[in-house]
Amino acid sequence: MNARLISGRTIAQGQNLDNKLSEEYYNAVAICEMNEKDMEKIGVSADENVEVRTSYGEVVVKAKEGGGNPEGIAFIPMGPWANAVVSGDTHGAGMPQYKGIDAEIEKSEEKVLPVKELMQRYMG
Amino acid sequence: MEITDVVCALCGCVCDDLVVEVEDNEVKKVKKGACSVGKSKLMGHGRIKSPAIRENGSLKECSYDDAIKKAAGILAAARRPLLYGWSSTVCEADKVGIELAEEIGAVIDNTASVCHGPSVLAIQDVGLPSCTLGEVKNRADLVIYWGANPTDAHANHMKRYSYISKGYWTAEGKKDKKLIVVDVRETKTAKVADVFIRIEQGKDFLVFSALRALLLGYEDVVPEEVGGVSKKDLLEAVRLMKEAKFGITFFGMGVTQSTGRHNNIVNAIQMTRAAHTHTKFSIMPMRGHYNVNGFNQVCTWETGYPFSVDLSRGYAWYNPGETSSTDLLVRRECDAALFIATDPGAHFPGESIRHLAKIPVIQIDPFANPTTEFADVVIPAAISGIESEGNVYRMDNIPIRLRKVVDTEYLPDEEILEKILEEVRAIREKEGE
Ligand code: SF4
């Protein structure tokens, strides 16, 4: 399914700002919130995994229903999973494109990488 | 022991009336004043235990002196160093950071770069008709949150300063006020609004333009639908704006991080000006970190510019888009980086991190985080506002002094930076001999 991806703060993400290597942070941030109709389209139910692909990368996260998203909008809380797929193009203003990225979202059988493994992808 | 008037060092609200219970040099309880995010910070999380240097792929614990020497060596040898972060620490540390940047000819940048940097650019362009949060609390009868979700990101904001707070002329709290929320998602903040205006993602500029036109009386040029919002809803918003005695727009990253960036904010400010033809209206960015604003203040009075300042020429050069962290890293220009009180590993686009993984990285922070995974020198610090004191600037430019509530063995940011600076100067002096 094609969607527009946005990232942003959530309360659970904020509560674990100083606790990013924890399971609480992983559970709060390695997720993608979508409208229930979009989840039906993709064929996933809550807590199953989805792969989010953009021109800048791909990442597997847990699907979550809700977040007040209209159809076609997907939300990943700000953090390393969202940033695996956002754009570093700042349009000459210094600010990366953290919101409004064209993405493709599909059901995935892959696991959601814990933060340390996710960071390993940048090494080497 | 109960400590009152404790200041929360987390978000730009800088709530300063917390009551905290301290026993055996530990925060046991946050009794009053903090939201769940602030409380979580005060109650504490696992710390970086010791300074460390990466050897053969893994971090090896060492002394503060050794870590500081190593960090100074990296910075003194770098040709294009980046010093980044500065928003979750105090102004006193920021000042030393700028001195260090000057000494080594670095680029110094703070998290505004990936947060409200576009707002700063817009304010430089057209100014900002703003006010203090105290004025909002006492006077505002119309509150607009645009691309901002305080329920999640600034949880006390509505209660302390805006929609729910009770002030001198707003004694009845929200009964005296109206709340409009403009957002792409129906956020928790949108759910409590009197009016929720859902706009299409990336169409903020158009909707600001339409409201400007309507406020200035050009109804005929506005089409039936703009950015997913019907003309009827736009007219209703304008009616509420005109009827207000004092209106305020708080805008967040929904506006700064979307297509249009600073142009969106310029238009938001011009909309505020258009509202002035009818009533008193103000506008304010919802600054994220508790001292993101403070760094911009300090950097401006030290260098003349608020962030993304390149000091490699021997004088200050400011050109966000060229001298901002993301651009420098995506261009693979930096050959060393120091990160203080920030976590680019979690908050920079992957493309930037790919380059960071290849260059020497120094991290100064109380907590381990994704950046620690690729940092080559890790220096633990005291937690500002809990273990050390200093000045910060709230989102409305009001300076507030953070208090220290417990003692610590960890060095505060300011002292770590002073030691690095001293060491860098010693290296450079030796080289000059
Ligand atoms: S609103 Fe912000 S400053 Fe106030 S208690 Fe919560 S996190 Fe701390």
Side-chain angles (χ1 to χ4, degrees):
Chain A
M1 180 195 74
N2 292 327
R4 276 217 138 183
L5 180 69
I6 50 185
S7 62
R9 295 185 202 277
T10 69
I11 204 121
Q13 171 260 335
Q15 283 164 345
N16 290 291
L17 263 184
D18 297 333
N19 196 26
K20 294 203 192 89
L21 304 180
S22 69
E23 196 158 336
E24 290 93 322
Y25 184 71
Y26 173 83
N27 291 336
V29 179
I31 60 166
C32 179
E33 291 177 348
M34 284 173 285
N35 186 289
E36 65 184 85
K37 288 201 185 119
D38 284 344
M39 291 189 45
E40 255 170 50
K41 253 183 251 164
I42 300 170
V44 282
S45 31
D47 291 333
E48 287 185 327
N49 296 351
V50 287
E51 185 182 52
V52 181
R53 262 193 315 270
T54 70
S55 312
Y56 316 100
E58 72 287 317
V59 73
V60 176
V61 283
K62 216 159 240 188
K64 291 261 179 238
E65 202 176 293
N69 297 293
E71 276 179 76
I73 294 280
F75 175 88
I76 305 184
M78 70 187 273
W81 291 273
N83 288 336
V85 292
V86 304
S87 160
D89 185 351
T90 77
H91 294 222
M95 168 67 84
Q97 184 99 25
Y98 288 115
K99 298 185 198 278
I101 309 129
D102 290 325
E104 243 181 88
I105 306 179
E106 306 295 344
K107 187 170 172 171
S108 171
E109 299 303 328
E110 301 284 313
K111 72 165 185 171
V112 180
L113 290 182
V115 74
K116 288 193 178 209
E117 285 177 43
L118 189 70
M119 297 316 288
Q120 278 303 321
R121 299 205 304 187
Y122 298 112
M123 316 290 176
Chain B
M1 181 183 45
E2 191 175 274
I3 307 181
T4 56
D5 298 322
V6 173
V7 184
C8 176
L10 200 132
C11 85
C13 287
V14 196
C15 300
D16 57 0
D17 58 353
L18 275 52
V19 180
V20 165
E21 184 76 42
V22 173
E23 252 171 60
D24 305 327
N25 200 38
E26 230 181 83
V27 176
K28 292 280 184 226
K29 205 170 167 194
V30 183
K31 291 172 122 178
K32 231 178 89 189
C35 73
S36 66
V37 176
K39 204 179 274 175
S40 161
K41 168 148 188 182
L42 274 152
M43 293 307 292
H45 297 287
R47 301 287 290 272
I48 298 176
K49 296 230 160 42
S50 152
I53 297 175
R54 193 171 297 277
E55 277 169 34
N56 302 322
S58 49
L59 286 169
K60 297 258 163 13
E61 292 190 0
C62 65
S63 66
Y64 260 116
D65 280 352
D66 286 347
I68 283 163
K69 274 209 178 85
K70 179 81 182 173
I74 291 172
L75 293 174
R79 290 170 58 93
R80 192 71 172 141
L82 167 69
L83 312 183
Y84 176 88
W86 312 108
S87 304
S88 291
T89 184
V90 294
C91 292
E92 290 81 351
D94 293 345
K95 187 164 173 265
V96 184
I98 293 162
E99 212 178 331
L100 176 63
E102 220 176 332
E103 180 68 40
I104 58 172
V107 174
I108 187 156
D109 195 13
N110 84 323
T111 60
S113 200
V114 296
C115 188
H116 274 287
S119 311
V120 175
L121 298 183
I123 294 164
Q124 288 172 331
D125 205 0
V126 290
L128 189 78
S130 200
C131 61
T132 65
L133 289 168
E135 285 181 270
V136 174
K137 173 183 172 172
N138 287 307
R139 295 170 191 273
D141 55 349
L142 174 66
V143 178
I144 303 176
Y145 285 107
W146 194 309
N149 178 20
T151 309
D152 275 287
H154 298 81
N156 275 354
H157 196 266
M158 286 202 279
K159 194 168 76 185
R160 276 176 68 87
Y161 307 118
S162 75
Y163 181 51
I164 303 171
S165 70
K166 292 180 178 162
Y168 193 82
W169 285 285
T170 52
E172 294 293 311
K174 67 178 181 183
K175 275 194 218 142
D176 285 341
K177 306 177 195 189
K178 284 269 182 291
L179 174 65
I180 300 178
V181 170
V182 184
D183 211 302
V184 174
R185 299 183 302 139
E186 191 178 5
T187 58
K188 288 180 212 149
T189 312
K191 288 202 169 91
V192 300
D194 297 294
V195 179
F196 168 47
I197 300 174
R198 193 199 287 276
I199 65 170
E200 280 171 20
Q201 206 282 324
K203 298 285 172 65
D204 304 74
F205 188 91
L206 298 181
V207 181
F208 284 127
S209 294
L211 291 173
R212 267 174 85 181
L214 293 173
L215 284 163
L216 293 172
Y218 299 108
E219 197 182 320
D220 52 327
V221 301
V222 176
E224 282 311 307
E225 194 193 294
V226 181
V229 188
S230 71
K231 188 171 182 177
K232 191 174 134 267
D233 288 351
L234 291 169
L235 281 165
E236 173 59 11
V238 164
R239 185 185 67 79
L240 291 172
M241 288 173 84
K242 284 181 181 174
E243 272 178 11
K245 289 197 193 81
F246 185 116
I248 171 89
T249 306
F250 291 108
F251 62 95
M253 293 191 285
V255 191
T256 64
Q257 293 182 338
S258 297
T259 303
R261 294 174 175 74
H262 54 295
N263 299 301
N264 295 332
I265 321 297
V266 166
N267 220 0
I269 295 168
Q270 301 294 25
M271 176 194 78
T272 312
R273 294 238 163 84
H276 292 166
T277 56
H278 304 281
T279 186
K280 170 88 185 155
F281 229 93
S282 240
I283 180 162
M284 194 184 295
M286 296 285 283
R287 306 302 301 265
H289 296 288
Y290 66 88
N291 198 33
V292 60
N293 186 1
F295 175 82
N296 299 141
Q297 304 275 350
V298 177
C299 197
T300 303
W301 77 57
E302 293 286 350
T303 73
Y305 302 108
F307 69 112
S308 298
V309 182
D310 182 353
L311 293 158
S312 66
R313 292 166 165 85
Y315 55 88
W317 176 262
Y318 170 66
N319 190 21
E322 178 207 349
T323 56
S324 24
S325 307
T326 304
D327 298 277
L328 284 170
L329 293 171
V330 169
R331 288 201 308 270
R332 302 191 190 99
E333 211 172 291
C334 301
D335 60 348
L338 176 145
F339 295 111
I340 177 161
T342 191
D343 182 10
H347 296 150
F348 275 5
E351 231 178 315
S352 310
I353 303 170
R354 223 161 274 132
H355 182 60
L356 286 175
K358 293 200 178 82
I359 63 171
V361 167
I362 302 153
Q363 179 187 34
I364 304 174
D365 207 287
F367 305 101
N369 55 36
T371 300
T372 320
E373 296 300 304
F374 54 82
D376 300 286
V377 182
V378 176
I379 308 179
I383 307 170
S384 306
I386 300 177
E387 298 168 342
S388 62
E389 55 180 18
N391 290 306
V392 305
Y393 280 74
R394 204 167 66 183
M395 64 168 71
D396 56 345
N397 302 320
I398 298 293
I400 293 175
R401 190 155 181 88
L402 298 185
R403 301 187 62 184
K404 171 180 164 169
V405 293
V406 296
D407 293 321
T408 182
E409 306 266 288
Y410 293 111
L411 299 180
D413 292 325
E414 188 185 351
E415 207 175 317
I416 295 170
L417 290 162
E418 270 165 358
K419 283 176 189 277
I420 294 177
L421 178 59
E422 200 179 304
E423 205 55 52
V424 164
R425 283 188 173 140
I427 295 172
R428 287 167 65 91
E429 213 164 280
K430 225 179 189 176
E431 279 171 357
E433 273 167 13

